[in-house]
């Protein structure tokens, strides 16, 4: 079995449906991960909508009647609840199919549980259908860095305390998911996600601003990963701009992502969460500028697929 990764949305802040953004894509954050036969979706920006359309089409074609069709089982991990990471969720078409089972995990805020936040933000006040009226089974759960999520080969989801984690009890076909909370993203921080399956590791670190001298705890969290998907919203010049500096916005530069990948000894780095003002021409120029780097880096693009 393998791990497959497909970028569904790589843009930060807000979608950019413009002809100048077609090469890299204009949808907001969403990454599809298939570990064995388990579907894991990292964030639910507008990129999740096309994924939902693909999954719904597969479901319909799998049988002549609803009873014959293959049900969708998926796990969504939300890094945080800013709009560009959740705005596609109400338009994820499989949630309107009765046989769908969708488990959502993400962080609570200091004042509110994740389920209450999503219910208010996405359904009750801003969508014509309430969460209770959705046909599919949508189960919303809180997760913190003190916990590990194990998706068993059977499909069962087990959320345990990290202190109780016993590696010997993890099956060969089980998926292990850990999170690391960075407080460098205002105002409630953001979860970085680590997925481990059959000896391979993917780390997803969006909306993460780096510290001077590096973030040593995150380096330890991501150390030796096969793929590091890292926030790279700004160029160094925009980050330190004397007119409108981006320091403190909760995002990294391309250079910060490279330095982090070096220290973490990541095998491959994928830049992610581009500023909406960076069109294809700008990103092409940046790709050329970084060509002499020793890190194995890549610019993520919508529909780009990776197989481990």
């Amino acid at each position: 079995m393998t791990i497959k990764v497909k970028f569904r949305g790589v843009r930060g802040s807000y979608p950019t449906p413009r002809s100048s953004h077609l090469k890299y894509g204009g949808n907001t954050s969403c990454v599809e991960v298939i570990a064995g036969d388990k579907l894991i979706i990292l964030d639910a920006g507008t990129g999740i909508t096309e994924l939902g359309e693909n999954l719904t089409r597969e479901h319909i074609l799998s049988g002549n009647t609803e009873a014959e069709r293959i049900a969708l089982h998926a796990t969504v991990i939300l890094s945080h609840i800013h709009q560009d990471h959740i705005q596609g969720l109400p338009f994820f078409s499989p949630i309107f199919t009765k046989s769908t089972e969708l488990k959502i995990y993400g962080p609570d805020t200091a004042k509110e549980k994740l389920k209450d936040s999503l219910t208010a933000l996405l359904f009750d006040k801003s969508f014509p259908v309430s969460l209770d009226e959705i046909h599919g089974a949508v189960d919303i759960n809180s997760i913190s860095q003190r916990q590990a999520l194990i998706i068993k080969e059977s499909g069962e989801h087990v959320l345990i305390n990290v202190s109780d984690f016993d590696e010997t009890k993890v099956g060969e076909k089980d998926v292990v998911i850990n999170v690391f909370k960075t407080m460098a993203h205002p105002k409630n921080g953001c979860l970085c996600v680590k997925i481990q399956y059959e000896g391979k590791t993917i780390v997803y670190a969006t909306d993460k601003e780096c510290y001077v001298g590096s973030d040593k705890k995150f380096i330890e969290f991501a150390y030796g990963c096969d793929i590091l998907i890292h926030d790279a919203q700004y160029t160094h010049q925009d980050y330190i701009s004397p007119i409108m500096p981006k320091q403190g916005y909760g995002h990294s530069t391309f250079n910060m992502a490279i330095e982090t990948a070096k220290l973490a000894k990541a095998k491959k780095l994928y830049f992610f969460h581009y500023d909406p003002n960076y069109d294809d021409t700008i990103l092409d120029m940046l790709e050329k500028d970084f060509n002499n780097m020793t890190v194995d880096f890549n610019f993520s693009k919508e529909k780009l697929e990776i197989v481990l």
Side-chain angles (χ1 to χ4, degrees):
M1 302 296 282
T2 58
I3 298 182
K4 297 180 181 179
V5 179
K6 186 171 184 177
F7 292 98
R8 294 287 184 168
V10 302
R11 192 66 56 174
S13 300
Y14 54 85
T16 51
R18 307 170 190 166
S19 59
S20 58
H21 291 59
L22 292 177
K23 180 177 178 179
Y24 294 86
N27 280 303
T28 53
S29 304
C30 182
V31 178
E32 173 190 2
V33 179
I34 301 176
D37 61 352
K38 306 296 186 293
L39 172 59
I40 302 157
I41 304 168
L42 301 173
D43 276 329
T46 56
I48 201 174
T49 58
E50 186 179 23
L51 170 58
E53 291 166 3
N54 296 159
L55 293 170
T56 298
R57 188 179 301 112
E58 291 173 8
H59 170 72
I60 292 171
L61 293 175
S62 67
N64 292 321
T65 66
E66 187 63 31
E68 294 175 346
R69 292 170 187 153
I70 299 171
L72 171 67
H73 301 272
T75 305
V76 176
I77 310 293
L78 299 176
S79 60
H80 60 314
I81 58 168
H82 285 175
Q83 280 291 334
D84 53 333
H85 295 262
I86 62 171
Q87 60 199 165
L89 193 55
F91 303 96
F92 182 60
S93 57
I95 64 175
F96 299 101
T97 300
K98 288 183 179 180
S99 60
T100 293
E101 291 186 9
L102 189 70
K103 292 188 179 294
I104 301 174
Y105 295 85
D108 294 333
T109 66
K111 298 180 180 179
E112 197 170 39
K113 291 289 186 182
L114 175 68
K115 183 174 182 178
D116 295 331
S117 297
L118 292 181
T119 299
L121 284 169
L122 295 179
F123 295 98
D124 287 357
K125 295 181 180 180
S126 61
F127 198 66
V129 179
S130 71
L131 186 60
D132 292 337
E133 293 173 321
I134 286 172
H135 295 311
V138 179
D139 183 23
I140 302 175
N141 306 272
S142 305
I143 190 172
S144 75
Q145 65 181 3
R146 296 186 299 274
Q147 298 171 304
L149 173 63
I150 303 173
I151 305 177
K152 307 294 288 183
E153 184 178 4
S154 64
E156 178 188 7
H157 286 55
V158 181
L159 193 62
I160 63 171
N161 292 327
V162 171
S163 57
D164 297 328
F165 183 79
D166 185 348
E167 195 170 300
T168 63
K169 293 183 179 180
V170 177
E172 289 183 5
K173 304 297 181 183
D174 294 349
V175 181
V176 179
I177 300 175
N178 294 91
V179 296
F180 171 87
K181 187 168 188 178
T182 172
M183 292 307 297
H185 192 72
K187 296 182 178 179
N188 294 294
C190 180
L191 297 182
C192 303
V193 183
K194 178 164 62 178
I195 300 173
Q196 295 173 287
Y197 177 72
E198 289 196 334
K200 300 292 184 181
T201 303
I202 297 167
V203 174
Y204 174 76
T206 185
D207 293 57
K208 182 194 180 303
E209 188 166 358
C210 292
Y211 302 122
V212 174
S214 79
D215 184 341
K216 292 178 173 57
K217 289 184 178 179
F218 176 75
I219 298 300
E220 182 180 351
F221 176 78
Y223 196 82
C225 63
D226 295 279
I227 290 176
L228 173 60
I229 301 168
H230 197 287
D231 187 286
Q233 175 136 343
Y234 303 121
T235 63
H236 179 70
Q237 290 77 10
D238 281 347
Y239 186 76
I240 63 169
S241 166
I243 300 171
M244 192 179 289
K246 302 302 191 296
Q247 291 171 310
Y249 279 31
H251 295 286
S252 288
T253 66
F254 292 86
N255 301 79
M256 288 174 178
I258 288 171
E259 184 63 20
T260 299
K262 284 181 180 177
L263 293 172
K265 296 192 182 302
K267 294 181 177 65
K268 285 184 180 294
L269 166 66
Y270 286 83
F271 297 126
F272 189 74
H273 205 274
Y274 308 127
D275 186 278
N277 292 308
Y278 295 174
D279 61 16
D280 292 342
T281 301
I282 292 173
L283 292 174
D284 280 345
M285 289 172 61
L286 288 169
E287 191 166 20
K288 290 178 181 177
D289 288 345
F290 287 116
N291 269 341
N292 60 347
M293 294 292 175
T294 56
V295 171
D296 185 354
F297 73 88
N298 303 267
F299 279 67
S300 58
K301 300 179 180 72
E302 279 185 32
K303 294 185 173 62
L304 174 65
E305 295 187 47
I306 310 158
V307 179
L308 289 179

